[in-house]
Amino acid sequence: MGNMKINITKCLEKKEKPSTEGIAFGRNFTDHMFIADYTEGTGWHDHRIVPYQPITLDPSAVIFHYGQTVFEGLKAYKAEDGSVRLFRPEENFRRMNESCDRLCMPEIDEEEALEALKTLIELERDWVPDAEGTSLYIRPYMIATEPHLGVSPSLEYKFMIVLSPVGLYYKEGIAPVKILVENEYVRAVAGGTGAAKTAGNYAASLKAQRVAEGMGYSQVLWLDGVEKKYIEEVGSMNVFFKIDGEVVTPALNGSILGGITRKSILEMLRSWDIPVAERRISMQELVDAQRDGRLEEAFGTGTAAVISPIGEFNWKGETFSVNGGDAGELSQKLYDELTGIQTGRKEDPFGWVTVIEEKEAIRQ
Amino acid sequence: MGNMKINITKCLEKKEKPSTEGIAFGRNFTDHMFIADYTEGTGWHDHRIVPYQPITLDPSAVIFHYGQTVFEGLKAYKAEDGSVRLFRPEENFRRMNESCDRLCMPEIDEEEALEALKTLIELERDWVPDAEGTSLYIRPYMIATEPHLGVSPSLEYKFMIVLSPVGLYYKEGIAPVKILVENEYVRAVAGGTGAAKTAGNYAASLKAQRVAEGMGYSQVLWLDGVEKKYIEEVGSMNVFFKIDGEVVTPALNGSILGGITRKSILEMLRSWDIPVAERRISMQELVDAQRDGRLEEAFGTGTAAVISPIGEFNWKGETFSVNGGDAGELSQKLYDELTGIQTGRKEDPFGWVTVIEEKEAIRQ
Ligand SMILES: Cc1ncc(COP(=O)(O)O)c(C=O)c1O
Ligand SMILES: Cc1ncc(COP(=O)(O)O)c(C=O)c1O
């Protein structure tokens, strides 16, 4: 650990906490946020927690013009015993630094970032909801702030963390979604930024998502940008298929984001001696498996929904159902195990959970 | 024209104008800027010119997380007679709307945007430099401002215009550059956002540019993202080759930005009865032409440098020189003609120039 000192300025008046019943994702924020500034030559400085408030930037800040930014997404959960838990947060800060490398942005100190996050969450402990399936969504991000209309890496940055209480993703158990296989738009290509968690990938995805929603599908299945044959991701999630008893997910090929849920599921399945494969998988292979009755389950994985079963997919105008449109047994089991570990309802044999120490001194 | 009313708030104290001698690109800004706000349901409102000043946004504004933003770049020139001129500004606002469509952003009223730009520039008339090769760089842009951590189009936006005086790109005539053909990183791919002027494309390009500069090259030549065979762009410019007397430029295939300089050059060459072709061109074809002595000239084209001759390129470790490393005759002629029209030194047979009317009422 470095010698980071976090200056804390508390808000004068606390906001009213929204009910988590039917709460919209990412629209409510807690009372405080974390900020640190970076200046080329000096490094990171002025680590601080301040009341959640607007930020002020030059209209020519690099972020507005050239999109130099990375972000992360993870969650804090409240267990029955009142403890607040993070799920593999060190993986998020490691991935954030990998994203920074691709975007020519400065690294953060991963241990300091985790320390800052723990301090912020301890201060906001009362904001972590405890109803079934709720959590506090955590958004660490970095933006390029130097005023410069030239295409070159910014010399100034802000690293920030904001927190948002979020509700249950599915009201009654996990609900399968209908997805549209995207044949026109591309999310990412090898040599591009698909393996980094950076804004431009999400901006690029909006149009296809809008078209899919207009056709009654809730997500897009992305194919590779080169041949438009191989499966990459679904929406903002990684994707898994159970075929002939084997669980297959696209290998990390440079255009797919390496999800932490994906990684955890692979580790879990291996520990259960269920055969898994990370490899290329084509739409044709998927369709053949579906037609032969060998496609047993399909599901997306990510921090937001954890497991999102796929009940039906549409490829080139033809629709294919998966497991009769129902959530599969393995999808359900993975969801139960993962959320069980995250919320402390189940044992954590992998050592994935970090319990946040109570520190009266911070909250007083 | 709609019934836009622009509210003008003038700055109390004017900045000192920097010398344009050796001025860095995009680091100095004028006294005022234009802003309009968009709210879903209401449309564009509160068109205003205010002193150049920081803007204040919610830390969860969509721009910071999902990169929903587009921009444009054009220039105002001061002619010898003191008149201030814009080069095809309507093309920029048309392209901006095309970019907006790709990014699921609201359209601007192109005529109103041009009117706003003219008003802003008239107010800043004294900021348009008049030394040879200098100009006032114009940056219209739109950013997504709604506070929402969900991947869906923002319901609020800001459209802004900022102005920056810029100096001569080349000190003594146009100077050829050395470029590196990029074989690892990809700028854009068909189905992606390459044909739109949006931040993510530029963020994606930083890493390759950094590697190239480290090897002593000033720009990257981008190949297609699918086969890495076909030539797309050079740096943030379109690219042209003169081979066997014919001028060839990559066809607009969906991953290339349709440059306004590119379009103007094609129109100019056609008017001169010089054979031109917009088609696919592979690196192998280029190298074969160079080896056979049929590659006469190569140059990049864009608003910033107008024409940027390529004196040498490196492909897979082998270097190839173009026209003995000197600027070619056609490159020089195109540069002279285009900058001549832009600055009023030459006739404007194409009707490309818009002279900004003097309006004492605005400047008083
Ligand atoms: C593009 C993309 N793929 C996959 C994921 C899943 O990653 P994780 O499991 O770490 O949440 C995410 C988001 O979180 C994502 O944005
Ligand atoms: C990626 C890219 N290609 C080409 C161009 C050239 O376009 P224009 O001639 O309109 O300036 C630009 C920039 O302006 C650009 O950013």
Side-chain angles (χ1 to χ4, degrees), chain B residues 73 92 95 187 197 202 233 235-238 257-262 301-304:
Chain B
N92 289 92
R95 184 170 68 184
R187 191 193 84 91
K197 217 162 154 67
Y202 301 83
E233 304 200 38
S236 300
M237 294 184 284
N238 295 114
L257 187 80
I260 293 155
T261 319
R262 174 187 182 279
T301 72
T303 294

Side-chain angles (χ1 to χ4, degrees), chain A residues 27 52 55 58-59 141 207, chain B residues 52 57-59 101 141 146:
Chain A
R27 292 203 184 268
Y52 186 94
I55 55 172
D58 194 281
Y141 62 113
K207 184 108 185 204
Chain B
Y52 185 94
L57 294 177
D58 194 280
D101 179 65
Y141 62 112
E146 189 196 11

Side-chain angles (χ1 to χ4, degrees), chain B residues 223-298:
Chain B
L223 302 183
D224 78 281
V226 173
E227 300 181 67
K228 293 194 183 145
K229 270 191 192 167
Y230 300 99
I231 295 168
E232 300 234 309
E233 304 200 38
V234 57
S236 300
M237 294 184 284
N238 295 114
V239 67
F240 285 75
F241 304 98
K242 187 162 171 248
I243 300 173
D244 271 340
E246 187 189 48
V247 181
V248 184
T249 189
L252 300 180
N253 59 355
S255 51
I256 291 174
L257 187 80
I260 293 155
T261 319
R262 174 187 182 279
K263 179 175 183 171
S264 304
I265 285 170
L266 287 171
E267 288 172 38
M268 211 170 231
L269 291 171
R270 287 188 177 117
S271 81
W272 295 344
D273 286 327
I274 292 180
V276 296
E278 297 175 71
R279 62 169 172 83
R280 236 164 49 155
I281 171 167
S282 71
M283 267 315 295
Q284 194 55 56
E285 177 184 348
L286 189 71
V287 160
D288 290 346
Q290 195 274 354
R291 288 204 173 112
D292 301 351
R294 292 179 294 109
L295 175 60
E296 301 162 25
E297 298 189 33

Side-chain angles (χ1 to χ4, degrees), chain A residues 95 187 197 202 233 236-238 257 259-261 301-303:
Chain A
R95 184 169 69 185
R187 191 194 84 93
K197 216 164 156 66
Y202 300 83
E233 304 200 38
S236 299
M237 293 184 284
N238 295 114
L257 187 79
I260 293 156
T261 319
T301 72
T303 295

Side-chain angles (χ1 to χ4, degrees), chain A residues 14-245:
Chain A
K14 291 195 176 170
K15 296 179 200 169
E16 210 184 309
K17 297 186 181 55
S19 150
T20 50
E21 182 78 33
I23 195 176
F25 189 91
R27 292 203 184 268
N28 295 273
F29 301 94
T30 67
D31 291 314
H32 300 90
M33 63 190 191
F34 172 83
I35 314 185
D37 296 319
Y38 179 91
T39 311
E40 188 77 16
T42 307
W44 290 105
H45 57 89
D46 288 306
H47 304 75
R48 60 202 184 272
I49 288 173
V50 295
Y52 186 94
Q53 63 189 283
I55 55 172
T56 293
L57 294 177
D58 194 281
S60 303
V62 170
I63 172 69
F64 297 135
H65 304 271
Y66 307 120
Q68 218 193 348
T69 176
V70 300
F71 71 93
E72 272 303 326
L74 67 162
K75 285 176 172 177
Y77 306 85
K78 193 164 271 175
E80 269 172 28
D81 64 5
S83 65
V84 172
R85 291 144 176 267
L86 298 172
F87 184 72
R88 311 188 82 174
E90 58 289 343
E91 291 284 339
N92 289 91
F93 293 120
R94 190 192 44 71
R95 184 169 69 185
M96 186 156 178
N97 270 341
E98 288 171 8
S99 298
C100 283
D101 179 66
R102 180 64 183 84
L103 276 294
C104 296
M105 296 171 75
E107 287 207 343
I108 51 164
D109 181 315
E110 296 173 26
E111 281 180 47
E112 284 187 0
L114 182 53
E115 199 53 39
L117 173 59
K118 285 179 181 172
T119 307
L120 179 64
I121 292 191
E122 177 55 13
L123 181 64
E124 304 290 59
R125 177 174 286 269
D126 294 344
W127 277 94
V128 187
D130 56 10
E132 164 88 35
T134 63
S135 59
L136 188 67
Y137 182 76
I138 301 163
R139 171 56 56 89
Y141 62 113
M142 194 190 297
I143 56 176
T145 56
E146 189 195 13
H148 183 210
L149 296 187
V151 186
S152 62
S154 173
L155 302 178
E156 296 163 20
Y157 299 86
K158 275 188 196 302
F159 169 52
M160 304 175 58
I161 306 176
V162 297
L163 306 174
S164 172
V166 296
L168 188 59
Y169 219 85
Y170 305 103
K171 265 157 216 110
E172 335 174 4
I174 51 177
V177 296
K178 287 163 64 174
I179 63 171
L180 181 67
V181 182
E182 178 57 48
N183 287 301
E184 181 181 354
Y185 297 109
V186 166
R187 191 194 84 93
V189 68
T193 55
K197 216 164 156 66
T198 184
N201 298 336
Y202 300 83
S205 77
L206 294 172
K207 184 108 185 204
Q209 177 67 23
R210 175 174 279 182
V211 172
E213 281 170 12
M215 292 171 66
Y217 291 87
S218 70
Q219 300 274 352
V220 157
L221 187 79
W222 299 105
L223 301 183
D224 78 282
V226 173
E227 299 180 67
K228 293 193 184 146
K229 269 189 190 169
Y230 300 99
I231 295 167
E232 300 233 309
E233 304 200 38
V234 56
S236 299
M237 293 184 284
N238 295 114
V239 66
F240 285 75
F241 304 98
K242 186 160 171 249
I243 300 174
D244 270 339

